[in-house]
Amino acid sequence: AEGASITPCGRRTRIHRHRPHAAPARWLDCTPFTGMVWLDAEDQTCEVGAGTAPATLDAELAGHGLMLAVDAPCAAEGTLGGVFLAPDLSLLHGAYGPPRDQVLGGTWMLADGSVVRTGARVVKSVAGYDLTRLFLGSGGFLAAALSLVLRLQPRPRCLSTSRVRNVATLRAAALPDPLWHFQESNGDAWAAWDGHTPQLSVLEPVSKEEFHEARLRALAQFAELPRRFAHAFAPADDPAGPMDWSALQEGRSSAGFAPAEAITIPTSARPPWLDALTEACAPGALPFAADEETA
């Protein structure tokens, strides 16, 4: 009503990486939308408020032997809306696909204040256009997430955790794909399998506690990087930043050198279709803006 720019947000734990120039007149706080709306443990689906912290959801799902197959930075401090709208990296990308693959639908508020629902509460649905994918990864430009319908996975029951002495040898070995396979900035690499204990000289068995401490360190390193590279091919064994080897994504603290086949995530260029899309989502309304560079 006042003509002020408004941008939806959660706890703003990812803004400095994904929208570093965001400078709205006011923030639209979506963190009150929390808690489980419904859970179908048999069908392995649920609907949860987008302001819920991923760690909070994980604690509730643990009692049902389920998990959300996303392992992203800021699990305790951030929100599910931020994970999927950013979009953020997941260390489970190699085993289960990117975060967007775990979302079946949701409830969204558009820039004109109207509320819409997209997708379905079932895993297999072919009804209409997949508008959920339109909003996922949009960074809050197109819609504010209120709730999300999520696909769940069984929790690992027999996790085998190892330190990797030689990443190249492990990648060349004919082993089942690990659930986790990542490398810290200091060069230490780690891998974990569920229900399989590989026998390979480059693998040093470690306790689950040591493995998860390393996993949290790697996630913290990713959380501080404004850019990361996604590789079409395996990069060098000694990345300049943390590395998710399963998804072939490398973190960099500055622009630095990028291999020819690498794509910088997030991209710095404003998409040419963004203005038309924001107008189509909420015709005549002031769009969710505003970055200093595009205001």
Side-chain angles (χ1 to χ4, degrees), residues 14-21 85-89 137-139 141 222 225-230 249-252 255 263-271 291 293:
R14 298 174 173 84
I15 289 289
H16 70 288
R17 287 189 291 137
H18 296 276
R19 289 185 62 179
H21 303 291
L85 286 176
D88 216 340
L89 164 142
S138 65
F141 279 107
F222 274 115
L225 298 174
R227 291 288 184 268
R228 66 180 185 269
F229 295 145
Q249 292 179 331
E250 181 178 356
R252 296 275 185 158
I263 300 172
T264 302
I265 302 176
T267 55
S268 57
R270 179 180 174 87
D291 290 358
E293 59 191 14

Side-chain angles (χ1 to χ4, degrees), residues 6-20 22 27-31 33 48-52 54 68 70 72-73 78-90 98-103 105-111 116 118 131-150 228 265-267 271 273-274 277 281 288-289 291:
I6 299 175
T7 294
C9 68
R11 297 188 182 91
R12 287 186 260 172
T13 56
R14 298 174 173 84
I15 289 289
H16 70 288
R17 287 189 291 137
H18 296 276
R19 289 185 62 179
W27 293 97
L28 179 62
D29 182 8
C30 298
T31 57
F33 295 94
V48 63
T52 305
L68 175 64
V70 174
T79 65
L80 289 166
V83 170
F84 296 110
L85 286 176
D88 216 340
L89 164 142
S90 168
R100 61 184 290 145
D101 286 359
Q102 319 311 318
V103 183
T107 304
W108 317 83
M109 186 171 70
L110 305 180
V116 298
T118 66
L131 294 180
T132 303
R133 295 294 177 272
L134 177 66
F135 296 143
L136 296 176
S138 65
F141 279 107
L142 304 182
L146 306 183
S147 70
L148 296 160
V149 180
L150 303 174
R228 66 180 185 269
I265 302 176
T267 55
W273 37 260
L274 184 57
L277 206 50
C281 286
F288 285 138
D291 290 358

Side-chain angles (χ1 to χ4, degrees), residues 175-282:
L175 294 175
D177 292 335
L179 290 186
W180 281 275
H181 186 190
F182 59 90
Q183 189 168 9
E184 298 182 71
S185 295
N186 64 4
D188 289 340
W190 310 79
W193 288 262
D194 184 28
H196 176 74
T197 304
Q199 302 298 320
L200 200 63
S201 60
V202 297
L203 295 178
E204 173 191 344
V206 298
S207 68
K208 294 179 179 61
E209 291 74 17
E210 184 177 358
F211 171 82
H212 285 300
E213 286 174 4
R215 184 186 125 261
L216 293 176
R217 287 195 302 267
L219 288 170
Q221 291 162 12
F222 274 115
E224 294 305 316
L225 298 174
R227 291 288 184 268
R228 66 180 185 269
F229 295 145
H231 292 261
F233 304 100
D237 291 345
D238 52 348
M243 183 74 210
D244 174 12
W245 288 95
S246 296
L248 298 181
Q249 292 179 331
E250 181 178 356
R252 296 275 185 158
S253 58
S254 61
F257 167 75
E261 71 276 8
I263 300 172
T264 302
I265 302 176
T267 55
S268 57
R270 179 180 174 87
W273 37 260
L274 184 57
D275 290 336
L277 206 50
T278 54
E279 173 64 18
C281 286

